[in-house]
């Protein structure tokens, strides 16, 4: 049995692929050794000081590392350890225990300022990074989003922290579909379905934009704008099932371009919010009355 090592879009996560499937329609994520009680292999991996998260799905084990090492320094040794563990009869996942394990959650719907969007709030955290899906082709990192696009009335999906914002087409009313969607989400997650595959989600260009990896190289005004959006604006729009991302700042035109996601995108009140809320806030906090805010996807 030979393990194949493969890179992912996230440099801290490496995939160790098996020649055959190691789970049957199940996905597992372990953040620490206590969570890995049903996976002797994951428990052994957590004895490595650089292992942060272990994902087991399909035919692979993905490992997220802490920054104390680089993968080039340890990946071969990790692959060898996994190979030896399995060759010696070690158990990857205790299937009987996991199949009987069902974690109940609650899901409820909240209205948003956008009448076409409803926010489904869960009683547990489902992702560390906000992701927007415009269509089913975007859903490589989210099995849940892929399934939701199977409903003909689902137009767009936005997932963040502990909620899922769904934008519908006009063919359906929320009164007629809310219970169906809420029940589907609840059963999908309780039965072990994956909301976000963190091992590949960072390949999404919208996430890369949101993380603003070039922050230190931006001009001072852009950095100030990003900090204001993060501290004062994002929490408010998140409460309404939406998100706002910094896109760019033109110093000559004094123009701030942003991207609206979730319930904010296409919301009838978004123009008012941009002009009378965000724009005025930036003018006041940056002491510059010439600043203009524009949503490039409004």
């Amino acid at each position: 049995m030979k393990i194949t090592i493969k890179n992912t879009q996230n440099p801290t996560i490496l995939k160790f692929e098996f020649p055959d499937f190691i789970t049957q329609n199940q996905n597992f994520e372990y953040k620490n050794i206590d969570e890995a009680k049903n996976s002797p292999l994951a428990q052994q991996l957590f004895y490595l000081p650089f292992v942060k998260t272990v994902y087991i799905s399909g035919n692979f084990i993905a490992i997220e590392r802490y920054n104390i090492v680089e993968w080039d320094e340890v990946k071969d040794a990790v692959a060898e350890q996994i190979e030896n563990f399995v060759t010696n009869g070690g158990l990857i996942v205790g299937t009987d225990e996991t199949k009987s394990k069902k974690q109940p959650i609650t899901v409820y719907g909240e209205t948003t300022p956008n009448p076409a969007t409803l926010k489904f709030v869960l009683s547990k955290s489902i992702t560390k990074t906000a992701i927007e899906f415009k269509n089913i082709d975007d859903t490589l990192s989210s099995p849940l989003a892929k399934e939701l696009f199977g409903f003909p009335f689902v137009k767009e999906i936005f997932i963040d922290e502990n909620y899922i914002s769904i934008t519908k087409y006009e063919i359906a009313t929320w009164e007629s579909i809310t219970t169906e969607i809420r029940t589907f989400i609840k059963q999908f997650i309780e039965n072990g379905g994956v909301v976000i595959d963190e091992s590949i989600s960072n390949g999404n260009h919208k996430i890369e934009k949101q993380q603003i990896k070039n922050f230190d190289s931006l001009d001072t005004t852009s950095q100030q704008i990003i900090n204001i959006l993060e501290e004062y604006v994002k929490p408010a729009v998140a409460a309404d099932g939406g998100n706002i991302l910094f896109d760019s700042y033109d110093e000559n035109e004094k123009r701030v371009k942003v991207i609206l996601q979730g319930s904010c995108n296409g919301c009838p009140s978004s123009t008012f919010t941009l002009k009378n809320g965000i724009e005025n806030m930036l003018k006041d906090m940056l002491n510059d009355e010439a600043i203009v805010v524009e949503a490039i996807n409004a």
Side-chain angles (χ1 to χ4, degrees):
M1 196 269 303
K2 182 67 176 175
I3 295 292
T4 302
I5 302 173
K6 289 192 175 180
N7 295 323
T8 70
Q9 295 289 340
N10 185 338
T12 66
I13 298 176
L14 209 60
K15 271 187 177 182
F16 298 86
E17 291 192 352
F18 290 72
D20 300 304
F21 281 89
I22 55 176
T23 66
Q24 296 298 322
N25 301 317
Q26 290 180 295
N27 304 275
F28 306 92
E29 177 180 345
Y30 307 107
K31 297 291 186 184
N32 54 61
I33 196 168
D34 288 337
E35 291 184 1
K37 290 179 180 178
N38 69 313
S39 175
L41 174 55
Q43 283 191 318
Q44 177 169 312
L45 290 170
F46 276 114
Y47 281 102
L48 301 172
F50 54 83
V51 171
K52 181 178 181 181
T53 309
V54 177
Y55 311 91
I56 301 178
S57 177
N59 70 328
F60 70 86
I61 294 174
I63 300 175
E64 181 181 11
R65 63 169 171 80
Y66 287 106
N67 291 326
I68 58 173
V69 298
E70 296 296 332
W71 273 123
D72 286 342
E73 302 170 6
V74 297
K75 63 182 181 181
D76 292 330
V78 173
E80 183 179 356
Q81 180 172 326
I82 295 173
E83 289 176 357
N84 292 337
F85 180 90
V86 176
T87 300
N88 292 327
L91 186 64
I92 298 176
V93 175
T95 53
D96 290 338
E97 179 181 350
T98 55
K99 285 181 179 177
S100 63
K101 250 187 174 180
K102 188 173 182 178
Q103 297 181 341
I105 63 166
T106 57
V107 182
Y108 64 91
E110 282 187 358
T111 58
T112 74
N114 187 345
T117 303
L118 201 65
K119 179 181 178 183
F120 293 87
V121 183
L122 287 76
S123 59
K124 61 175 287 186
S125 176
I126 52 177
T127 183
K128 296 180 288 186
T129 311
I131 312 180
E132 182 182 49
F133 305 98
K134 293 289 190 181
N135 54 61
I136 198 168
D137 289 339
D138 290 343
T139 61
L140 177 64
S141 63
S142 177
L144 173 58
K146 182 178 181 180
E147 293 295 327
L148 286 171
F149 274 116
F151 293 99
F153 43 75
V154 171
K155 182 180 181 181
E156 296 179 10
I157 300 167
F158 176 73
I159 302 176
D160 191 12
E161 295 186 348
N162 69 325
Y163 69 87
I164 302 163
S165 289
I166 296 179
T167 302
K168 67 174 181 62
Y169 287 104
E170 294 180 358
I171 59 170
T173 63
W174 283 121
E175 290 78 9
S176 64
I177 64 176
T178 298
T179 300
E180 182 179 7
I181 294 178
R182 183 179 63 81
T183 301
F184 177 83
I185 293 173
K186 175 179 171 66
Q187 293 179 346
F188 181 92
I189 296 175
E190 285 184 341
N191 290 325
V194 176
V195 178
I196 300 292
D197 184 345
E198 302 284 355
S199 69
I200 59 176
S201 62
N202 277 19
N204 187 300
H205 69 280
K206 294 184 180 68
I207 297 177
E208 293 174 354
K209 190 71 179 179
Q210 179 173 322
Q211 291 176 338
I212 313 178
K213 295 178 179 178
N214 62 332
F215 180 87
D216 292 337
S217 64
L218 293 175
D219 61 273
T220 302
T221 304
S222 293
Q223 292 180 346
Q224 290 175 322
I225 292 170
I226 291 170
N227 288 333
I228 292 170
L229 294 178
E230 290 287 334
E231 184 172 355
Y232 298 99
V233 181
K234 278 195 175 186
V237 298
D240 288 331
N243 193 31
I244 184 169
L245 307 180
F246 173 81
D247 180 82
S248 62
Y249 169 66
D250 188 311
E251 188 174 1
N252 296 324
E253 296 183 358
K254 302 286 185 176
R255 186 177 301 275
V256 180
K257 292 184 179 181
V258 297
I259 299 171
L260 300 178
Q261 294 181 323
S263 62
C264 296
N265 186 21
C267 178
S269 61
S270 61
T271 301
F272 178 85
T273 301
L274 283 172
K275 295 298 178 183
N276 295 279
I278 301 171
E279 188 174 287
N280 286 343
M281 179 185 295
L282 291 176
K283 286 179 178 179
D284 180 59
M285 298 186 76
L286 297 176
N287 195 26
D288 190 342
E289 287 297 319
I291 285 180
V292 176
V293 178
E294 170 189 334
I296 61 176
N297 63 329

